[in-house]
Amino acid sequence: MTDYYEILGVPRDASPEQIKKAYRKLAREHHPDVAGSDSASEERFKDVSRAYDVLSNPEKRRAYDLGADPASPGGGMGGGFGFQDIFETFFGAAAGAGAQRGPIPRARRGQDALVRLDLDLTEVTFGAHKEVPVDTAVLCPTCGGSCCRPGTSPRTCEVCHGRGSVQRVARSFLGQVMTTQPCAACHGFGTVIPEPCPECSGEGRVRSRRTLGVDVPAGVDTGTRIKLTGQGEVGPGGGPAGDVYLEVHERKHDTFVRRGDDLHATLQVPMTAAALGTTLQLDTLDGEREVDLRPGTQPAQVVTLKGLGVGHLHAGGRGDLHVHVEVQVPTALDDEQVELLRRLAVLRGEERPESRLASASSGVFAKLRDKLSGR
Ligand SMILES: [Zn+2]
Ligand SMILES: [Zn+2]
């Protein structure tokens, strides 16, 4: 005998609710409209329906538990399969759920918007107040979002009587099936607008250009998004506004390069100044600052100016400014300069410099290699 409990996947002492729940789940999975119309799923669907027919009826279930099969021909009950009941149980409940949902609200939330915000290095370093123009939708000033010509109001849909949906009876191989569809006359809203607002054509909102003021915090970077809650477009039907996200794009600076919250700059120093030492005025984002170069300053030497970098985002303090020294070797020397440099070379015993290879661990290349390999 067929094990109807096994087909529904419920224990033998399952409650009517458990049986109903198991049946609904399986019927959804194996319904021909979902599973396709291949014969295997049709058979499975019939099995599931037959099992439910027996186990959902207290009399049939008792007979089945005692060893009779009420669903098989000559099984004793003679009641047939009762598919109509099953469909009413299943689809009737589904239609009920649909009706409970009711009409779709006409007012819906507006979409979020992503707006690009270009900032220069000074602005991301110190933070800035920006006025950002955005093209968006605002509440229609004529109808205030009601979508109706002033003095008129929405009317209940005569086709669906305000439900927003209509029920149709379709025939299937197992009998009549009730389906619920959105009402075409009112697009599911349950109401129609007899006279749309002339300004917004019944949308409840109109296009507009607004300017949003925003305080950009110090430390934002390319890709940082700033959320302006409720500053986006008003939704259809005058629905609540979406959000605006400002996405930061930092413009390249002429002299400073940003790495994290530190800034880097290259300072070009004549060979003589590097050798003799000097004090230079440096144009920083905080105005002029003095940079002291000691006598004997080397190429690629770094002078760090503490706290002159970018402000840390949502935290106190700032990064540093690293000044990289680039020693410039003079070119296009005139006769007198050549003579002076020759004399210097003689005085330093450097007229014929020996070939001297730096140790592998201390040379420029070693530092470069360490940097590349991340050591
Ligand atoms: Zn309007
Ligand atoms: Zn309708």
Side-chain angles (χ1 to χ4, degrees):
M1 199 164 73
T2 323
D3 189 342
Y4 293 135
Y5 290 100
E6 198 185 322
I7 288 172
L8 291 184
V10 294
R12 299 196 81 79
D13 60 352
S15 68
E17 284 70 34
Q18 276 179 291
I19 288 167
K20 195 168 180 173
K21 213 173 140 194
Y23 164 67
R24 286 227 191 123
K25 184 171 171 291
L26 290 167
R28 274 196 191 91
E29 279 170 22
H30 298 290
H31 188 269
D33 286 352
V34 178
S37 57
D38 66 278
S39 56
S41 48
E42 279 187 12
E43 271 315 306
R44 184 89 177 100
F45 184 65
K46 280 184 195 172
D47 288 344
V48 166
S49 301
R50 201 173 285 128
Y52 179 65
D53 179 46
V54 172
L55 297 185
S56 64
N57 181 315
E59 278 176 41
K60 289 184 188 177
R61 185 178 177 185
R62 203 175 309 119
Y64 174 73
D65 287 341
L66 291 170
D69 188 352
S72 72
M77 299 299 284
F81 295 158
F83 282 139
Q84 197 60 48
D85 295 349
I86 292 170
F87 273 110
E88 267 167 27
T89 306
F90 178 48
F91 290 105
Q100 259 179 10
R101 273 202 303 275
I104 309 165
R106 199 174 279 279
R108 276 173 288 142
R109 185 181 181 272
Q111 289 187 340
D112 295 340
L114 186 63
V115 177
R116 179 184 168 121
L117 177 62
D118 288 298
L119 297 172
D120 60 36
L121 186 61
T122 306
E123 290 169 326
V124 304
T125 295
F126 301 108
H129 182 83
K130 299 295 283 185
E131 300 283 332
V132 187
V134 289
D135 287 310
T136 186
V138 297
L139 205 62
C140 173
T142 300
C143 66
S146 77
C147 309
C148 300
R149 179 188 287 274
T152 69
S153 53
R155 207 176 57 210
T156 304
C157 174
E158 286 161 10
V159 176
C160 65
H161 306 291
R163 280 196 303 271
S165 57
V166 288
Q167 295 194 339
R168 286 225 166 72
V169 179
R171 297 201 63 80
S172 87
F173 73 104
L174 285 172
Q176 292 190 335
V177 182
M178 287 283 257
T179 61
T180 303
Q181 292 177 333
C183 173
C186 63
H187 306 289
F189 294 131
T191 56
V192 290
I193 289 175
E195 289 184 70
C197 166
E199 177 153 2
C200 63
S201 312
E203 264 278 287
R205 55 179 185 170
V206 288
R207 303 303 310 175
S208 170
R209 191 175 179 83
R210 294 171 62 210
T211 302
L212 303 177
V214 55
D215 286 314
V216 179
V220 295
D221 205 343
T222 293
T224 304
R225 287 186 177 182
I226 301 167
K227 183 181 181 182
L228 303 177
T229 305
Q231 297 291 336
E233 62 158 36
V234 162
D243 303 326
V244 168
Y245 291 87
L246 300 176
E247 188 172 85
V248 171
H249 285 255
E250 185 185 312
R251 291 192 200 94
K252 277 199 170 18
H253 191 269
D254 285 344
T255 51
F256 298 112
V257 175
R258 180 178 177 184
R259 292 279 178 274
D261 287 339
D262 285 349
L263 296 176
H264 296 261
T266 303
L267 181 63
Q268 297 179 319
V269 182
M271 179 189 74
T272 46
L276 298 171
T278 187
T279 298
L280 295 170
Q281 295 295 320
L282 188 71
D283 231 350
T284 73
L285 296 177
D286 295 73
E288 291 214 323
R289 287 288 186 279
E290 282 192 347
V291 178
D292 286 317
L293 297 180
R294 286 193 306 276
T297 292
Q298 299 297 307
Q301 194 165 319
V302 179
V303 181
T304 296
L305 304 177
K306 287 268 175 210
L308 293 189
V310 178
H312 299 311
L313 184 61
H314 303 314
R318 294 171 61 185
D320 301 328
L321 170 58
H322 304 283
V323 180
H324 300 252
V325 174
E326 182 183 291
V327 175
Q328 293 184 303
V329 175
T331 56
L333 301 168
D334 65 22
D335 291 348
E336 191 182 2
Q337 292 163 355
V338 169
E339 190 49 40
L340 276 169
L341 281 174
R342 285 228 167 93
R343 275 205 61 198
L344 180 64
V346 169
L347 288 173
R348 291 181 56 80
E350 292 170 347
E351 326 88 293
R352 288 193 202 290
E354 292 165 34
S355 166
R356 276 186 308 172
L357 290 174
S359 79
S361 58
S362 70
V364 172
F365 186 73
K367 283 176 195 150
L368 183 70
R369 188 195 57 199
D370 288 353
K371 199 171 272 177
L372 290 176
S373 64
R375 275 185 286 160

